[in-house]
């Protein structure tokens, strides 16, 4: 019989209209016949932490092993507490590392990091970047990439224009204001340049800052802010664009970038965190320094002017995205979970 698994992470889509990766992963495992327990869907840090601890204990007879997402900051403490509870229940568990800021956090708290990692049956990371930067805390970290539905996303392109798209949360770490600066600079050389921005508002003032900058630079007529949308709508929005902008200051291996690659967009991204592990400058993307709107705009203009370069990059990106398809990634997850269960 397929073992039952407790998944501990952020299942918040019913409240914030944004699906975390663990929601897609659990839904797809369930379709393959896995029995799952999920926590938590509660908003608010304290309430979510208490729910995670409550479900882990109260549903202990409903699962055989657990999977816990590990973020930096206060969320790291949640993982520590949940894993302590799992150890007291003699439940094996898998950790998955999340967030581009986790390496910096680990450097500040190396003992806590090593202790937590050592307590897990397996530790996984969604990128080579997180694996390589965290190997000193656990030498056998396994890379299981954040998957996308490549077969659904793929689309051929016969031209590249200046229809730009940005898909992230409106939060300072993703530097959405930089996308407005890029739009204004590109528009100086490409008269039909436009920008669509997709993502939910994290409430730190970034969305208002974007709107203010667009007004100040006189590009509001070129800008469409869609806001947060269901994940199923992302492919149709990507299909209407040519160039994907990733302006983040801190990053790991964003699913939005992989989705853009699979859709055949030309990706222009800051070279931060795990991005150089995911993308190859001049191959499947153009990488520029963080907080460098002039460099990013120049890259977009070049792609518009050198169509042969742009189309070659588009084809290369679509080819590389195949490694993130859901089918092989789910196969890897199933093997790992069965392996952990077999150790008990």
């Amino acid at each position: 019989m397929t073992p039952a698994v407790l998944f501990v992470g952020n299942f918040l889509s019913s409240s914030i209209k944004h699906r975390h990766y663990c929601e897609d992963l659990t839904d797809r495992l369930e379709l393959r016949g896995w029995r799952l327990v999920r926590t938590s869907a509660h908003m608010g840090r304290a309430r979510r932490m208490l729910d995670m601890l409550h479900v882990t204990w109260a549903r202990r007879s409903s699962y055989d092993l657990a999977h816990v997402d590990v973020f930096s900051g206060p969320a790291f403490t949640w993982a520590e507490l949940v894993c302590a509870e799992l150890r007291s229940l003699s439940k094996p568990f898998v950790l998955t590392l999340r967030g581009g800021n986790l390496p910096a956090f680990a450097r500040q708290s190396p003992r806590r990091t090593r202790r937590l990692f050592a307590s897990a049956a397996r530790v996984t990371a969604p990128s080579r970047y997180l694996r390589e930067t965290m190997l000193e805390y656990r030498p056998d970290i396994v890379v299981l990439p954040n998957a996308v539905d490549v077969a659904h996303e793929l689309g051929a392109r016969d031209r590249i224009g200046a229809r730009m798209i940005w898909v992230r949360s409106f939060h300072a770490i993703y530097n959405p204001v930089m996308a407005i600066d890029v739009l204004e600079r590109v528009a100086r050389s490409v008269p039909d340049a436009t920008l669509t921005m997709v993502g939910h508002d994290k409430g730190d003032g970034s969305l208002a800052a974007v709107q203010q900058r667009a007004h100040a630079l006189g590009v509001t007529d070129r800008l469409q802010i869609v806001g947060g949308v269901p994940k199923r709508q992302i492919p149709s929005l990507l299909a209407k664009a040519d160039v994907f902008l990733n302006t983040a200051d801190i990053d790991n291996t964003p699913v939005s970038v992989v989705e853009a690659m699979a859709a055949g967009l030309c990706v222009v991204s800051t070279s931060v965190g795990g991005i150089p592990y995911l993308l190859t400058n001049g191959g499947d993307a153009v990488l520029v320094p963080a907080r460098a709107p002039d460099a990013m705009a120049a890259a977009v203009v070049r792609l518009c002017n050198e169509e042969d370069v742009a189309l070659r990059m588009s084809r290369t990106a679509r080819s590389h995205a195949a490694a993130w398809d859901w089918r092989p990634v789910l196969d890897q997850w199933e093997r790992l979970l069965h392996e952990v269960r077999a150790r008990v």
Side-chain angles (χ1 to χ4, degrees), residues 24-162:
D24 290 329
L25 175 60
T26 51
D27 285 354
R28 289 173 183 265
L29 285 172
E30 205 163 47
L31 287 173
R32 287 195 173 192
W34 286 78
R35 294 170 295 135
L36 305 178
V37 178
R38 299 170 173 85
T39 182
S40 170
H42 288 288
M43 294 294 294
R45 290 179 175 179
R47 190 178 179 192
R48 190 152 70 249
M49 180 187 72
L50 291 173
D51 185 62
M52 289 174 176
L53 293 170
H54 171 73
V55 171
T56 300
W57 178 262
R59 299 290 303 276
R60 60 191 181 276
S61 61
S62 301
Y63 62 90
D64 304 299
L65 67 156
H67 171 276
V68 182
D69 277 340
V70 181
F71 293 87
S72 59
F76 191 90
T77 302
W78 308 350
E80 289 177 306
L81 293 173
V82 168
C83 292
E85 194 169 41
L86 289 167
R87 289 195 300 274
S88 73
L89 294 169
S90 298
K91 300 284 190 180
F93 55 90
V94 176
L95 301 178
T96 290
L97 312 183
R98 299 289 183 196
N101 210 33
L102 191 56
F105 177 88
R107 287 192 295 271
Q108 295 173 353
S109 304
R111 291 183 180 178
R112 291 173 64 190
T113 303
R114 287 191 180 92
R115 185 167 55 246
L116 178 61
F117 286 15
S119 67
R122 297 301 298 268
V123 178
T124 78
S127 66
R128 284 196 307 115
Y129 162 67
L130 271 184
R131 179 183 183 275
E132 293 182 15
T133 55
M134 302 297 282
L135 278 177
E136 64 179 288
Y137 310 104
R138 172 91 182 219
D140 61 343
I141 296 173
V142 178
V143 175
L144 287 177
N146 288 338
V148 299
D149 194 344
V150 173
H152 179 69
E153 302 282 1
L154 281 178
R157 292 182 181 273
D158 54 14
R159 66 174 298 275
I160 299 293

Side-chain angles (χ1 to χ4, degrees), residues 71-72 98-105 107-108 127 129-130 133 166-169 171-176 178 204 246-257 269-276 288-291:
F71 293 87
S72 59
R98 299 289 183 196
N101 210 33
L102 191 56
F105 177 88
R107 287 192 295 271
Q108 295 173 353
S127 66
Y129 162 67
L130 271 184
T133 55
W166 181 97
V167 183
R168 294 304 283 266
S169 299
H171 189 279
I173 65 171
Y174 302 127
N175 197 4
M178 179 174 160
D204 71 341
N246 183 45
T247 56
D249 292 336
I250 297 173
D251 226 331
N252 178 19
T253 306
V255 171
S256 59
V257 171
S269 174
T270 51
S271 183
V272 299
I275 294 298
V288 302
R291 297 184 174 271

Side-chain angles (χ1 to χ4, degrees), residues 286-308:
V286 179
L287 302 184
V288 302
R291 297 184 174 271
D294 287 334
M296 184 169 282
V300 175
V301 172
R302 182 192 173 206
L303 291 171
C304 292
N305 291 335
E306 300 181 21
E307 193 168 78
D308 57 334

Side-chain angles (χ1 to χ4, degrees), residues 192-208:
D192 60 349
T194 61
L195 173 64
T196 300
M197 301 188 76
V198 185
H200 67 284
D201 181 9
K202 297 289 283 187
D204 71 341
S206 293
L207 178 57

